[in-house]
Structures are given as C-alpha cells and as structure tokens.
C-alpha cells in the first residue's frame, strides 16, 4: 500500500507513546520506509529498541548524533513523504508553533517540507488551555493535519478530551494522505441497492421497478475512491462492480439481516435500495390457484432498515435516498430528520430523465445542516461520483483549518 513512501515518525514524551508501536509496525508491514525519531521523554515511555525492531531502522534521538547512518540527522529525517507526530504532546506542539529547534524532533519538524500529521494526546486541561488551542490553530493554519483527541478516561484517571485518537482513525488519515486520490482509503462502505421481492407464493412476488443502477454505480465509485465496499443487493440484472463484496438478498427481511451483520464494521452507509414497505403476511406454500373469486392479499409492514441504523449511528455517516413523486424536498427533509441521517439524496421519479429504469437521474442532496446542492440531469455513474465528492468534502474526516 505504501511502496516507495518514506514516513518519518516523531514520538514525543507522553504515555500514548506506546501506541505508536502499532502504527510503526503497520506502516512497515504495508511497505513504507519508516524512520523513527524519539525525544528523551519518549525513550522513557517506550524503548528505542522496540521502535528499531519494528521499523527495521536505527532510531534517532540525538540532534548532535555522530551516527554514520545520517549526514545531517535533522535534515535527512525531515526529507520524507509524510511526517507523523504521534503522540504530539502539548510541549512539542508549542515548540513547533514557535519554530523552536532545540532537539532532534523539533529541528526536523522545522526543516520538513512534507505534510505533517499530528495526533495530540495530553491531559484534558492542557488540551483545553488556550495556549494549546492557539498552537493547534497556528499549526492547522500552516497546513498540518490534526487528528482530534478523543474523550475518555485519561492516564491520571480523569475523564475528559485528551486521549489519543483511535488507531483505526489514525490509520485512515495516514492512508488518505499517502494516497490522496483515494480519500475513502481505510473506510468500509455499506451500500444497499435494487428492489426487494416479497414472496406471495413459490412463483410470485411483490416488487418494484428499481434497477439497482444507482447503488451499483455508488459501489463502483466508492471502490475507485479506495473504500472496502459491501454491496447488499436485491434481485437485479446487473454485473457487480469488480472488487466489491456482493451480498445477494431477495426480501426486505433478508436485506435487514445481512445489513445488521455488516453494520458494526462499516463507516459509511448509503441506502439506495427501494425496500418494499410491506410484505404478504404469509407466503403461500404452494402456488396460488386461479379462481373466479377475488383474491385478498394481507400485507404487513417490513422493518425500515435505514431508520433502524439511524438509531445506533455512532460515528458513522448515513446517507439515504428519497424517491418521490410530489413535495420532493419537504418529504426528503422529513426522512432525513426522522431516520437520523447525515445526507439524503432526493429525486423526483416522475420527472423525465429521473427515476428507476433509465441510465440518468436528476437529484438534490440535502445535508443534516440544511445545505442543499442540486445535480442537473446526468448519468447515474456521474451522479454517483458527484455524491461521493460532496460527502467527502462536507464530512469532517480530518480537522483542517
Ligand atoms: N428504506 C429502508 N428500509 C425500508 C424503507 C426504506 O432502508 N423498509 C430506506 C431506503 O433505502 C431509502 C430511504 O429509506 O434510503 C427512504 O426510502 P423511501 O422508500 O423513499 O421512503 P420510505 O421511508 O419507505 O417512505 P415512503 O415509502 O412512505 O415514501
């Protein structure tokens, strides 16, 4: 994944230093060339031997080092594709903001022209201090990527915001930075697509006209943008995009079951399926025979899959669709709110060029913040990429100024 990429990892002196071992090991396993700088403080929390073993390179600590591996250590180490500061203590952030260079790590940070990603970790009171917040702002203004700290129990037992961000989150930011054309790298996307078929008897079903094209295009686009994609598809006549995990289902209940299993691991959900709202109360075991009497079919409601996910959203981004024939935007806003979504894509299926069967669509995306963007008539493939670009741009994957 990171072949030919050089990453300098700067470890400063906080208890979260031990967590950098996992990242260094992961970078190395993914073929990055990793060089580690440790401050004196960091060496007291985790040994240079650990980092040397994991990185496969000598660990640099001393600004005035005579180590023959380096010509001028802070200049050699500053030359990299990515400079990762993990953890970033309040002290190293302050030094970097001021441009101090009194040890190897701060001097290398001052000299680097590479993108810097910093993952701060410190006591919540230090993090909240206006001095630290001011320094973070200065560094963000210089283009650093700052991975926000998490709230939780801190080393001293206090509860607050100051914990190092989760390792998967840090990995995602690194992947997206080293592979900028893959902004969804490291993310798992779950997409529902197509209609559902609700069995009446062994040969008949209730269905709808959804072709699945939009969902399949969204899945292909997400794969191209670097995501791991699970596509849960009702019955459609489409070839799945290569490289996505296809899960074929038939009924709404089956779709709900598969989605429930995949949901915990995913980061983003797009519900593009036209799920049947009702199913026959009981599918007849044998084929229903014709008679001259009228036939009553009793229907019972299916679960609303997306609304169920919205009740247990966590950090995930949820995106729904609203296919309407009247009051398009009001109906879409209502669904956005009621299903606890981040975005909804509204389309008026009665308009020429929009709708289920064709290759084109006309849509408006609405965010939970109330922003709206209209997409004119375009192919479903182009629309899928537009939707992703909008979501990626508007969702705070990383904190930039
Ligand atoms: N959806 C779902 N499960 C359902 C019904 C809908 O996951 N049982 C999802 C769809 O995939 C879509 C969104 O919810 O992303 C809105 O679907 P839509 O059919 O437009 O709305 P409904 O909530 O079913 O309301 P109505 O049919 O009354 O317009």
């Amino acid at each position: 994944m990171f072949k030919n990429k050089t990453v300098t990892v700067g470890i400063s002196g906080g208890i979260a230093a031990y967590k950098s071992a996992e990242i260094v090991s992961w970078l190395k396993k993914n073929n990055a060339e990793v060089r580690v700088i440790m401050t004196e403080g960091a060496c007291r929390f985790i040994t240079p031997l650990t980092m040397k073993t994991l990185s496969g390179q000598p660990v640099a600590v001393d600004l005035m080092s005579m180590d023959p591996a380096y010509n001028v250590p802070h200049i050699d180490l500053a030359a990299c594709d990515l400079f990762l500061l993990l953890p970033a203590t309040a002290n190293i952030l302050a030094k970097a903001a001021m441009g101090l260079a009194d040890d190897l790590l701060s001097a290398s940070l001052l000299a680097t022209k590479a993108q810097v990603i910093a993952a701060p970790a410190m006591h919540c009171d230090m993090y909240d201090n206006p001095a630290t917040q001011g320094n973070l702002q200065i560094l963000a203004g210089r283009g650093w990527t700052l991975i926000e700290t998490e709230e939780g129990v801190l080393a001293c037992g206090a509860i607050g915001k100051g914990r190092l961000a989760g390792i998967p989150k840090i990995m995602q930011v690194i992947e997206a930075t080293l592979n900028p054309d893959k902004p969804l790298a490291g993310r798992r996307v779950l997409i529902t697509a197509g209609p559902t078929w609700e069995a009446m008897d062994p040969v008949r079903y209730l269905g709808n006209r959804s072709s699945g094209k939009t969902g399949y295009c969204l899945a292909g686009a997400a794969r191209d943008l670097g995501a791991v994609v699970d596509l849960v598809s009702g019955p459609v006549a489409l070839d799945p995009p290569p490289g996505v995990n296809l899960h074929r289902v038939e009924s709404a209940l089956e779709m709900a079951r598969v989605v429930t299993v995949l949901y915990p691991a995913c980061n983003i959900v797009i519900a593009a399926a036209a799920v049947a709202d009702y199913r026959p109360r009981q599918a007849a075991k044998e084929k229903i025979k014709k008679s001259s009497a009228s036939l009553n079919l009793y229907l019972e409601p299916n679960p609303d899959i997306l609304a169920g996910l919205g009740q247990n959203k966590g950090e995930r981004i949820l995106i729904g669709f609203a296919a309407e024939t009247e009051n398009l935007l009001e109906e879409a806003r209502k669904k956005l709110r009621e299903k606890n979504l981040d975005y909804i894509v509204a389309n008026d299926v009665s308009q020429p060029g929009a709708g289920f069967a064709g290759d084109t669509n006309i849509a408006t995306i609405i965010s939970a913040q109330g922003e709206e963007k209209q997409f004119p008539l375009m192919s479903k493939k182009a629309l899928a990429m537009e939707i992703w670009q909008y979501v990626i741009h508007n969702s705070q994957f990383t904190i930039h100024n």
Side-chain angles (χ1 to χ4, degrees):
M1 186 159 46
F2 304 135
K3 203 161 188 291
N4 302 324
K5 302 282 185 192
T6 306
V7 182
T8 297
V9 180
I11 307 175
S12 58
I15 179 59
Y18 78 94
K19 295 187 180 167
S20 60
E22 193 171 343
I23 294 284
V24 167
S25 159
W26 168 79
L27 284 166
K28 185 85 176 101
K29 276 192 196 123
N30 283 287
N31 304 315
E33 190 184 323
V34 190
R35 292 162 323 162
V36 176
I37 304 174
M38 296 175 74
T39 63
E40 299 280 353
C43 295
R44 301 176 75 158
F45 281 108
I46 183 166
T47 72
L49 179 62
T50 305
M51 305 315 296
K52 175 183 172 284
T53 310
L54 293 174
S55 68
Q57 302 261 13
V59 170
V61 178
D62 182 7
L63 180 60
M64 306 299 172
S65 166
M66 301 287 279
D67 188 335
Y70 301 108
N71 182 15
V72 180
H74 60 292
I75 302 302
D76 293 0
L77 289 158
C80 55
D81 296 298
L82 172 67
F83 202 122
L84 179 65
L85 189 51
L86 189 160
T89 57
N91 184 51
I92 191 70
L93 291 169
K95 290 208 292 187
M98 291 299 291
L100 296 182
D102 62 352
D103 65 3
L104 183 58
L105 182 53
S106 53
S108 305
L109 279 168
L110 192 63
T112 194
K113 289 195 158 58
Q115 176 66 44
V116 180
I117 296 177
M122 64 198 75
H123 187 270
C124 49
D125 292 342
M126 296 167 83
Y127 186 71
D128 288 340
N129 192 299
T132 304
Q133 288 302 315
N135 291 331
L136 288 168
Q137 265 176 27
I138 291 171
L139 295 166
R142 288 187 200 143
W144 281 33
T145 300
L146 303 170
I147 308 179
E148 208 175 357
T149 58
E150 286 183 354
E151 232 175 284
V153 182
L154 305 172
C156 63
I159 296 175
K161 195 164 180 189
R163 258 165 59 146
L164 188 78
I167 297 293
K169 167 97 191 214
I170 295 170
M171 289 173 174
Q172 278 164 11
V173 179
I174 294 170
E175 280 192 50
T177 307
L178 284 176
N179 298 314
D181 56 332
K182 307 264 183 228
L184 293 178
R187 277 159 211 283
R188 203 163 181 118
V189 170
L190 170 57
I191 296 176
T192 67
T196 62
W197 285 359
E198 309 301 322
M200 284 172 60
D201 70 14
V203 297
R204 303 183 183 91
Y205 60 85
L206 296 178
N208 61 64
R209 296 180 197 279
S210 168
S211 67
K213 281 178 192 157
T214 297
Y216 276 55
C217 288
L218 284 161
R223 174 212 53 203
D224 290 346
L225 293 166
V228 173
V229 184
D230 288 303
L231 175 60
V232 182
S233 174
V236 295
L238 298 173
D239 289 330
V244 312
N245 307 320
L246 178 68
H247 309 265
R248 286 182 211 273
V249 297
E250 203 173 280
S251 65
L253 286 181
E254 263 183 79
M255 185 174 275
R257 262 195 298 277
V258 174
V259 165
T260 306
V261 172
L262 296 170
Y263 190 54
C266 81
N267 309 109
I268 307 174
V269 177
I270 302 194
V275 184
D277 289 328
Y278 297 93
R279 63 176 182 275
R281 189 183 290 168
Q282 203 148 32
K285 290 230 165 10
E286 307 300 337
K287 187 180 165 200
I288 301 168
K289 293 309 248 182
K290 171 173 71 186
S291 83
S292 55
S294 55
L295 174 72
N296 286 323
L297 196 57
Y298 289 97
L299 301 178
E300 60 183 14
N302 271 326
D304 189 317
I305 303 172
L306 184 56
L309 304 183
Q311 285 172 9
N312 175 25
K313 188 155 84 153
E315 298 281 291
R316 296 177 192 84
I317 296 172
L318 298 191
I319 305 157
F321 272 75
E324 309 290 344
T325 55
E326 53 183 358
N327 304 328
L328 176 67
L329 296 181
E330 294 93 286
E331 289 297 325
R333 284 188 208 109
K334 192 162 158 251
K335 286 176 188 173
L336 175 86
R337 225 178 20 253
E338 287 178 355
K339 302 192 191 203
N340 193 23
L341 308 180
D342 299 281
Y343 303 95
I344 194 152
V345 182
N347 57 320
D348 180 347
V349 284
S350 63
Q351 258 185 296
F356 280 171
D359 284 323
T360 60
N361 209 345
I362 306 165
T364 303
I365 190 163
I366 307 171
S367 76
Q369 288 72 37
E371 279 169 28
E372 286 176 16
K373 181 170 179 174
Q374 281 187 303
F375 301 113
L377 179 72
M378 65 178 79
S379 72
K380 286 183 174 171
K381 193 167 175 206
L383 179 64
M385 206 33 118
E386 291 279 354
I387 291 170
W388 275 121
Q389 296 298 0
Y390 184 87
V391 169
I392 289 163
H393 183 76
N394 280 272
S395 307
Q396 283 242 319
F397 288 169
T398 53
I399 308 165
H400 292 283
N401 213 12

